[in-house]
Amino acid sequence: MSVVLYSTNCPRCSVLEKKLSMAKIEYDIVNDADLMVEKGFTSVPMLEADGKVMDFREAIEWVNDKQEQ
């Protein structure tokens, strides 16, 4: 599974990063603002897992679901 966290190191980005680490989900971090704009992101953090892009709320739910499995 490929997981990418698009982050600007904001407080919500840090929360999502900690959740991913606690769930032992391996991920890459992208801090390139130009790339985020190119992808059409208007807020951060955004999480991309196997091609599915999720905003903060969706990403937290996804991580929680993964922890329960």
Side-chain angles (χ1 to χ4, degrees):
M1 171 174 35
S2 170
V3 179
V4 179
L5 171 62
Y6 295 91
S7 168
T8 60
N9 300 315
C10 71
R12 289 190 337 168
C13 296
S14 297
V15 167
L16 184 51
E17 193 170 340
K18 286 178 188 168
K19 293 279 287 179
L20 288 163
S21 294
M22 287 174 52
K24 295 182 173 63
I25 297 172
E26 291 186 26
Y27 61 94
D28 294 315
I29 297 178
V30 174
N31 294 317
D32 184 341
D34 291 332
L35 178 61
M36 290 183 237
V37 169
E38 197 176 291
K39 286 184 162 278
F41 299 161
T42 56
S43 66
V44 288
M46 297 296 279
L47 189 70
E48 187 172 359
D50 288 334
K52 179 182 179 192
V53 177
M54 297 167 267
D55 64 15
F56 178 73
R57 183 187 54 77
E58 294 170 320
I60 292 293
E61 289 175 8
W62 181 82
V63 172
N64 289 341
D65 287 346
K66 290 290 182 194
Q67 278 185 301
E68 292 171 4
Q69 294 178 356

